[in-house]
Amino acid sequence: MLPAWLRAAARRVLLAVAAGVAVGVGGVVAFALRDGLRTATEQVFALGALAFGVGLLGWSGSVMAGRGFENMQRYLDTGSDWTESDSRRAMSRVTGFGVGVMVAASVATAGL
Amino acid sequence: MISKRYVLKRLLLLIPVLAGVATLVFSILHLSPGNPARVIAGQRASEAAVREVERQLGLNDPIWVQYGRFLFDLLQFDLGESYIIRRGQPVTSVLRWKFPITLELAVYGQLFGILFGIPVGIISAVKQDTITDHLSRFGALAGISVPIFWSGPLLILLFAVELGWFPTSGRISTDFVVPQLTGILTLDTLLLGQYDAFLSAVHHLLLPSLVIGIYSMALISRMMRSSMLEVIRQDYIRTARAKGQGTKITLMKHGFRNALIPVVTVIGIQFGSLLGGAVLTETVFAIPGIGQLLVDAIRDGDYPLVQGTVLIFAFVFTLVNLLVDLTYSYLDPRIEQ
């Protein structure tokens, strides 16, 4: 049995991947009608990779420097309620979404 | 003592950071307009010639194949070859000689920030709510707010053109010829015993370092002030004072190290801004470093060079943060928990 935190994290990422797949398939179909399949795949894949890159960088950046940022904001009295754990969770969703779009772009091309 | 497990954990974090940056660069370059094959072949090249270049570069392959190949090459430290600016040269060798120039500038800027920011922050905290404190806080606010593309030309105008104290551009006087050992000019001149050349290099570096270090100094002094004020109010400081220890000794012996902890993290975090600032500073001062190379590579569409430069920036930034983390855990061993 997986620990609760791992189950929650997996559910979060999988839901984001599913959303990404849905958006990716829709994106390929929409772009393909306008620009042709190859261009559509390339654009949707690149957009997915963009989300994946931002998510991955944001997630690892949060883990790496999040505590420092929290401290800095506290000392500078910015009044922000940004936290490392919130950022990590949000970024894991963005990463999952990006992966979903990338996979969908690849699979949709093969299917169409 | 820093544990090996902690260091390993931090080192492993470098992988997703660099993978994220690599993916971002790849996707941005694919989404940006323009065909690299057309750029390489030339604007007047025939369609057949462009198709041939596309085939050679693998641009006809499906995008996920190109992405996989890009990541695979990256794993082998192969950043490709420059298309235009240094046509045919491996990106790694171009960066090898350009990067020390930027590193030197960033380090001197950071040094300037630390050497001035920390004392200003301490004085500001000790003299809280006096005119000195107000002035330093105003200075810090101005330093954080003023962009380099404005402060750079302004300082050149004042110190180089009007007063003539510093040169307006370049890295060293044209009277000197310094063979490249490390690429870091001030270090090379010292290693070669060319002390006049060293002084000339420092003279050329002072103004750009000042420009790039202003933001760093402002942020560090602001953080040092807040952190020192928090420490001053702690019980152990009050106890030391009650036992008759002098104010200066109490602050420096008991307060300084603890107040330094949050400042150290900020130094690491804003090193990234310093590298970003180097791009602008090098352009303003005509310093031929990696920042200027990046600007040229983006303008000319030299994609491998853009990718390599951004990756090297990310790598150094993460490495500096790793060093900062280790310093942080040395100053406060509870962090590793």
Side-chain angles (χ1 to χ4, degrees), chain B residues 88-142:
Chain B
Q89 268 191 42
V91 170
T92 42
S93 74
V94 176
L95 296 178
R96 163 72 187 88
W97 293 112
K98 288 284 183 183
F99 182 67
I101 300 171
T102 303
L103 186 70
E104 185 178 37
L105 181 63
V107 167
Y108 275 82
Q110 185 73 294
L111 211 62
F112 177 82
I114 293 169
L115 288 179
F116 288 90
I118 289 179
V120 168
I122 294 174
I123 292 167
S124 184
V126 174
K127 297 187 179 296
Q128 192 188 4
D129 293 332
T130 61
I131 187 78
T132 315
D133 181 30
H134 294 316
L135 278 175
S136 84
R137 283 164 67 191
F138 175 77
L141 186 67

Side-chain angles (χ1 to χ4, degrees), chain A residues 76-91:
Chain A
L76 292 177
D77 285 332
T78 55
S80 157
D81 56 356
W82 185 94
T83 63
E84 184 260 341
S85 55
D86 282 350
S87 167
R88 201 163 16 88
R89 275 195 284 271
M91 288 303 158

